[in-house]
Amino acid sequence: MSGSTFRWEDAEVFASLANLLSLRQGACLGPTERGNKDTQHATANGAPACARDTLKRRFLDSFAKVMSRSKGGKCVACVALRESRNVDLEEPDGVKATLLVARNEVFEDVDFIFCNEIERLLAALGASACKHTKDPVVEKALWEAMLHYNGPRLKQYALDLQRSVLAFAGRGYLDRIPPYHLAQPVSNRLGIATFCDSDAIGSYCRATHDAYMRFAQAHLREFCNILSFGDRVVGRRHDRLTKKAHSIRHMKSIQIFIEASCNDWDPIPKLLSSIQLLGRLKSCYHTLVEAAETIPGFANLSIRLVNRPPSHKFLRNLPSLASLFTWLGLPFTLPTVRKYVGDTTIATIQQDFGKLQEKSMFQTLSTHAETQLVFYITQRTDLETMTKEFYPYIGCSKLCCFLCFTFLRFFGQRGPFFRVRGCHGRVHPRWSLPETKGLHVDMCIELHLALGKTFHYMSREMTKAVATCFPTTTGSSAGMTDDYSAPPPYIHDYHMKLAIQSKFHALRAAMAANWSKCALVLLERLLS
């Protein structure tokens, strides 16, 4: 059966609640894993395909990062995988792979051109793998296409790296070796008492410390040379920078050298994230090649770019802050505001909330890429087909926002069907769900159930004291290894670490302010 319509019920209250949640101090961690854990894919003979599942998840996340060709929230991309079986296909398993790609911003001609090219190249790699051969010409063409398409992002990363490495060198860090006793607290904190970045040097210890620090110096100086005197052709320069960053991004000696050279509160360690981000594209390339040569169906690959659904725009007035507190069952008083929103005043929160409400009434609301994919799939299939053919994971170029993460967690009656690698904990205002027609009844029911549970969870989250929340992460995936299967304590511990750091900064600032006041009083007394 088909023809059902999904409508975003109580949209005004939902959007207002999202606006209020976005003003709270700290992060919203989102619901934890639910239901049965038996939704893992299996191979044709029924055995669990753990290694292949891991590769699929890495591939989907990597492909999403490739499709996010510029920095910024507008370019966040998400990818889903459909594996359709057809005995007439040439592949041994009779599988056709289809990638569905959604992005926060509208796709342009350059995106369609790139996807047509990369579809052909990945299919060629899949066909070569079926014949147990490799095609280095196709691999080279794939890398060059990815390099050219991601030029805007690589340009920004190169600029960030240049600023960081020049600042690092400008402070003299690049010309001196941090002593062994300063490196030990860093290595202990990182949990890397010993390592071997170079066979010529051997394992890291007191005797090899200076050699490894010179080893790290040489690598960082090579970045300086590429940035200062390297190839003036932008594409070739990006090629050299990304390959260099990729080759050293996991070297422990680099991390120890940078962190031991700087004090804990110096902004220079951003150099590490610049290296990790710049080397990300090459890592994605290797994952794409491995997936094309390993996952069935790539010889018959197709890539579809999902059209962004029509945006919501409210025509009615949204509820006031006082009425929203009443709806939540909370008194609209200063103690309540401070308990559930944070250290603010009623006048301030009313002003900030009013601005968000005004934007929600007069500006269009956005449907994030993860949610776009879910609605695209539900409009074109039924629950049984989705369960059989769609891999239960959505690859994301960034960690999900709280609302997308929560909605995906509740989409699926026996557990979250689509998983993601993590949630950064921020609540984005002006988040919306599109109204959709032509749905199968079962899919319409699934969407309404997910909406209702998300709404309920938002209300429950809003009635938690802010002391139980933690600072948000940046949303960047640089250096992050989080996955949908990571246990909740991991996210909790990560946020706890950030909370401790934040409190330390606040305490130090307060002490500095108090010292300034004492110095001023003393100066006034001396002058009098």
Side-chain angles (χ1 to χ4, degrees):
M1 294 190 302
S2 63
S4 297
T5 300
F6 170 83
R7 289 188 176 85
W8 190 15
E9 297 174 355
D10 297 319
E12 284 76 18
V13 179
F14 188 106
S16 302
L17 190 55
N19 288 339
L20 183 57
L21 277 169
S22 71
L23 295 174
R24 276 164 54 94
Q25 294 176 358
C28 301
L29 297 184
T32 55
E33 191 73 61
R34 308 178 291 117
N36 298 329
K37 303 262 185 174
D38 58 357
T39 55
Q40 186 183 43
H41 264 299
T43 55
N45 61 7
C50 297
R52 186 173 289 178
D53 280 352
T54 300
L55 176 58
K56 285 179 180 178
R57 293 196 298 268
R58 285 198 295 114
F59 167 75
L60 290 171
D61 285 328
S62 296
F63 198 87
K65 293 170 187 175
V66 171
M67 292 304 301
S68 178
R69 65 188 299 261
S70 299
K71 289 187 68 176
K74 290 184 177 180
C75 278
V76 172
C78 294
V79 185
L81 170 64
R82 183 172 188 172
E83 299 169 297
S84 307
R85 299 195 173 275
N86 188 334
V87 294
D88 296 328
L89 293 175
E90 295 181 1
E91 282 243 354
D93 293 333
V95 178
K96 174 180 173 58
T98 302
L99 296 176
L100 304 178
V101 186
R103 198 167 63 188
N104 285 355
E105 70 174 359
V106 176
F107 290 111
E108 300 176 350
D109 289 344
V110 64
D111 305 304
F112 287 96
I113 293 171
F114 171 72
C115 283
N116 287 337
E117 184 176 9
I118 202 172
E119 174 186 284
R120 175 181 61 81
L121 294 172
L122 290 175
L125 290 176
S128 297
C130 291
K131 300 173 184 177
H132 305 288
T133 61
K134 277 187 169 291
D135 194 335
V137 175
V138 174
E139 291 181 4
K140 181 181 178 182
L142 175 64
W143 170 243
E144 290 177 348
M146 291 172 58
L147 198 66
H148 176 72
Y149 178 71
N150 282 268
R153 179 176 285 274
L154 293 176
K155 180 180 179 181
Q156 186 60 55
Y157 286 159
L159 288 173
D160 293 342
L161 175 66
Q162 187 171 26
R163 294 189 196 101
S164 297
V165 75
L166 289 179
F168 189 83
R171 296 196 178 194
Y173 296 143
L174 198 53
D175 298 322
R176 58 175 181 255
I177 294 177
Y180 183 75
H181 73 273
L182 288 182
Q184 293 321 289
V186 175
S187 61
N188 292 337
R189 186 174 73 251
L190 299 174
I192 48 173
T194 185
F195 58 85
C196 184
D197 286 343
S198 169
D199 292 335
I201 299 176
S203 297
Y204 175 75
C205 60
R206 180 184 290 274
T208 60
H209 170 76
D210 286 0
Y212 264 119
M213 295 302 97
R214 287 192 292 271
F215 175 79
Q217 279 180 324
H219 281 296
L220 292 178
R221 285 196 177 109
E222 190 172 341
F223 272 127
C224 291
N225 292 335
I226 296 173
L227 291 165
S228 301
F229 310 107
D231 201 317
R232 297 302 177 186
V233 178
V234 174
R236 287 202 290 264
R237 185 194 235 194
H238 287 169
D239 183 32
R240 292 183 64 191
L241 285 172
T242 53
K243 288 178 179 177
K244 182 62 186 176
H246 178 261
S247 68
I248 70 170
R249 73 198 190 286
H250 293 316
M251 287 185 177
K252 304 298 188 294
S253 56
I254 302 288
Q255 193 167 358
I256 289 176
F257 175 74
I258 293 174
E259 294 200 21
S261 297
C262 312
N263 62 67
D264 289 341
W265 308 115
D266 199 308
I268 300 302
K270 291 180 180 178
L271 176 56
L272 284 170
S273 64
S274 296
I275 293 172
Q276 291 167 346
L277 288 168
L278 197 53
R280 189 176 76 170
L281 186 65
K282 194 65 178 179
S283 179
C284 291
Y285 161 76
H286 289 302
T287 301
L288 264 61
V289 172
E290 182 184 0
E293 295 176 344
T294 306
I295 299 174
F298 268 72
N300 302 289
L301 176 69
S302 63
I303 301 174
R304 297 180 187 174
L305 300 184
V306 173
N307 292 326
R308 192 172 62 180
S311 300
H312 253 290
K313 192 168 184 179
F314 291 112
L315 301 177
R316 292 170 286 178
N317 291 329
L318 299 180
S320 66
L321 184 59
S323 61
L324 189 59
F325 266 75
T326 301
W327 182 86
L328 289 166
L330 300 173
F332 188 48
T333 61
L334 183 58
T336 306
V337 167
R338 287 183 171 172
K339 181 177 180 180
Y340 297 108
V341 180
D343 187 13
T344 184
T345 64
I346 288 182
T348 300
I349 191 65
Q350 280 185 321
Q351 182 179 14
D352 294 341
F353 181 75
K355 289 178 180 178
L356 291 177
Q357 292 289 82
E358 186 176 1
K359 289 181 179 179
S360 296
M361 283 192 289
F362 297 104
Q363 296 182 14
T364 54
L365 309 185
S366 59
T367 302
H368 292 184
E370 304 93 317
T371 311
Q372 290 181 37
L373 278 180
V374 170
F375 275 78
Y376 181 89
I377 292 168
T378 55
Q379 195 172 25
R380 289 161 178 80
T381 186
D382 55 25
L383 188 59
E384 182 179 0
T385 303
M386 185 184 75
T387 304
K388 288 181 178 179
E389 297 189 1
F390 278 89
Y391 185 69
Y393 186 86
I394 288 179
C396 302
S397 60
K398 279 191 174 185
L399 302 180
C400 292
C401 75
F402 166 75
L403 292 176
C404 286
F405 186 80
T406 303
F407 186 78
L408 290 174
R409 270 288 187 261
F410 291 128
F411 180 74
Q413 293 185 21
R414 289 186 291 177
F417 184 82
F418 287 115
R419 293 167 171 82
V420 290
R421 63 193 174 101
C423 170
H424 57 61
R426 288 200 304 270
V427 180
H428 290 298
R430 305 207 307 278
W431 186 94
S432 76
L433 297 172
E435 292 189 1
T436 305
K437 298 180 180 179
L439 293 168
H440 287 259
V441 173
D442 55 1
M443 299 303 260
C444 192
I445 292 173
E446 285 292 332
L447 291 173
H448 276 291
L449 285 173
L451 171 62
K453 292 176 180 178
T454 301
F455 203 177
H456 173 73
Y457 193 85
M458 291 168 65
S459 305
R460 195 176 73 175
E461 192 73 16
M462 190 62 230
T463 52
K464 291 180 182 177
V466 292
T468 64
C469 301
F470 306 98
T472 58
T473 68
T474 62
S476 171
S477 57
M480 299 292 289
T481 57
D482 47 316
D483 188 89
Y484 75 87
S485 59
Y490 167 81
I491 302 177
H492 179 274
D493 292 345
Y494 182 75
H495 286 302
M496 278 294 293
K497 179 182 176 182
L498 292 181
I500 292 170
Q501 292 178 355
S502 178
K503 289 179 180 178
F504 183 87
H505 279 296
L507 179 61
R508 192 172 70 165
M511 290 174 65
N514 290 333
W515 171 252
S516 298
K517 291 177 182 178
C518 292
L520 183 60
V521 171
L522 180 60
L523 180 62
E524 289 176 348
R525 288 181 179 178
L526 289 173
L527 291 175
S528 62

